[in-house]
């Protein structure tokens, strides 16, 4: 799996908020994160409908000596440029827990303090992205409080570090269950 640090641009309105966050946190911190391969999950809703979702399980650890406020952020971007953010989907989270046989926290449940040395395991759920896409990127944010403010043409933009995973998923746009397991892009 190829992993690299990517940059995400945050709007001008968040500049003052980001500066306040950096000042409030004091020292910079970074969390360790490992992300499992995304997989297709068949979800049976309580009303009896069947649908698909993409699921990513992950672990985050605080290796620092200070407590940090952790707010996970997961974003999928397809090769066509479509952007999908993780959603709160209790039915999919429960189905993922049942399939894996262990308790997983949803992204919303993980928001909060992460103590020194503490590790948490969670699940991020996405609505089924463009089924015709063969390549997609997974951006993972909230793992550091570091940022940089860029000045360009009189505009200020905040740039934050994010973890980037790239995946290759060849397959059929209609019979998704026939697709191979998601493979990481290799270069």
């Amino acid at each position: 799996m190829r992993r690299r640090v990517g940059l995400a641009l945050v709007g001008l309105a968040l500049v003052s908020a980001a500066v306040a966050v950096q000042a409030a946190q004091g020292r910079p911190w970074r969390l360790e994160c490992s992300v499992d391969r995304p997989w297709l999950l068949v979800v049976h809703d309580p009303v009896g409908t069947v649908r698909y979702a993409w699921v990513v399980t992950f672990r985050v650890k605080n290796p620092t000596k200070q407590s940090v406020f952790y707010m996970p952020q997961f974003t999928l971007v397809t090769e066509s440029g479509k952007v999908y953010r993780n959603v709160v989907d209790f039915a999919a989270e429960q189905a993922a827990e049942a399939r894996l046989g262990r308790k997983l926290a949803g992204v919303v449940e993980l928001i909060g303090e992460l103590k020194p040395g503490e590790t948490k395991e969670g699940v991020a759920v996405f609505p089924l992205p463009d089924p015709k896409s063969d390549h997609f990127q997974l951006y993972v944010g909230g793992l550091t409080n570091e940022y940089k403010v860029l000045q360009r043409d009189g505009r200020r933009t905040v740039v934050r570090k994010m973890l980037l995973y790239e995946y290759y998923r060849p397959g059929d746009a209609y019979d998704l269950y026939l697709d191979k397991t998601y493979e990481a892009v290799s270069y």
Side-chain angles (χ1 to χ4, degrees):
M1 179 180 323
R2 182 179 156 152
R3 194 170 89 156
R4 67 178 183 211
V5 176
L7 298 177
L9 298 177
V10 179
L12 182 61
L14 297 178
V15 171
S16 60
V19 172
V21 168
Q22 180 66 13
Q25 293 294 335
R27 299 182 309 214
W29 50 264
R30 289 185 188 164
L31 303 176
E32 295 174 357
C33 182
S34 61
V35 175
D36 297 327
R37 229 185 330 212
W39 43 283
L40 185 66
L41 178 68
V42 178
V43 181
H44 299 276
D45 285 329
V47 294
T49 59
V50 177
R51 60 185 169 80
Y52 294 102
W54 279 10
V55 176
V56 177
T57 54
F58 63 95
R59 279 155 306 293
V60 64
K61 179 181 180 181
N62 181 0
T64 69
K65 295 181 175 152
Q66 62 182 343
S67 290
V68 299
F69 184 80
Y70 175 55
M71 190 163 84
Q73 302 159 1
F74 288 83
T75 306
L76 262 176
V77 180
T78 65
E79 64 193 31
S80 62
K82 293 182 181 177
V83 177
Y84 301 89
R85 302 212 189 289
N86 64 286
V87 295
V88 177
D89 187 338
F90 297 114
E93 291 171 11
Q94 289 175 348
E97 285 178 352
R99 181 171 174 185
L100 296 174
R102 64 182 189 268
K103 176 73 175 133
L104 300 168
V107 173
V108 173
E109 295 173 70
L110 291 174
I111 297 173
E113 183 181 15
L114 197 59
K115 295 182 171 96
E118 185 176 15
T119 301
K120 292 188 177 181
E121 187 173 18
V123 60
V125 179
F126 297 91
L128 188 63
D130 181 7
K132 295 178 184 172
S133 291
D134 288 334
H135 295 89
F136 65 91
Q137 298 171 326
L138 175 67
Y139 290 90
V140 182
L143 302 174
T144 182
N145 66 342
E146 298 176 78
Y147 66 91
K148 185 185 263 187
V149 178
L150 302 176
Q151 289 280 119
R152 187 172 178 194
D153 299 330
R155 296 181 64 185
R156 291 173 46 159
T157 305
V158 176
V159 180
R160 295 189 177 274
K161 287 185 178 180
M162 298 185 89
L163 201 56
L164 171 61
Y165 291 90
E166 294 183 81
Y167 295 97
Y168 176 64
R169 184 201 63 86
D172 190 293
Y174 301 101
D175 294 325
L176 297 174
Y177 60 91
L178 296 176
D179 288 354
K180 290 176 52 178
T181 304
Y182 301 102
E183 299 292 334
V185 175
S186 57
Y187 291 95

